[in-house]
Amino acid sequence: MLAVSGLAVCGIAEAVHAAADDLQCRHGDQQWTACRMRQPSPGEHWFLEMDRERIEFRHDGSGRVRMRIGDDASWVVVEPRWTSGRNLCWGSVCARGPIPLD
């Protein structure tokens, strides 16, 4: 039974990893590119990593989302929205694919 449980856990881990690899992002009119979403505090603090760019987000619980592109950039308030193409966007930054929400 332990071996079966171990295989199930490995299968789940592989599925989660594959889903994470399917996430794509873009900034503005850039081409879609593979990216990763990291969530140190799900629903409150997360960031997207694509190429050499890191885009950080903070949510204060009131519906207000702030975003900054790069560690030295200023924070700007962005409006999260879904597009007709099923992309989730925050201002000029969009993600598509398996987006881990919460």
Side-chain angles (χ1 to χ4, degrees):
M1 183 67 177
L2 183 58
V4 171
S5 296
L7 290 175
V9 169
C10 288
I12 292 169
E14 288 174 9
V16 168
H17 182 68
D21 289 344
D22 292 339
L23 185 63
Q24 294 185 318
C25 300
R26 74 177 181 184
H27 180 207
D29 292 331
Q30 294 176 348
Q31 294 292 322
W32 289 102
T33 185
C35 65
R36 288 210 176 268
M37 179 180 276
R38 307 267 188 219
Q39 299 185 69
S41 181
E44 295 177 7
H45 180 214
W46 67 97
F47 50 94
L48 297 171
E49 296 172 331
M50 57 181 176
D51 296 327
R52 292 183 199 99
E53 196 167 49
R54 179 179 147 160
I55 303 165
E56 187 173 3
F57 300 89
R58 297 270 181 176
H59 182 256
D60 64 7
S62 71
R64 179 180 155 160
V65 176
R66 296 178 301 138
M67 174 183 81
R68 71 177 177 177
I69 300 172
D71 293 336
D72 298 330
S74 298
W75 290 96
V76 294
V77 175
V78 292
E79 185 71 30
R81 70 187 186 289
W82 288 98
T83 69
S84 60
R86 298 178 49 123
N87 307 319
L88 179 56
C89 299
W90 304 269
S92 61
V93 175
C94 296
R96 70 180 180 187
I99 301 169
L101 301 173
D102 294 337

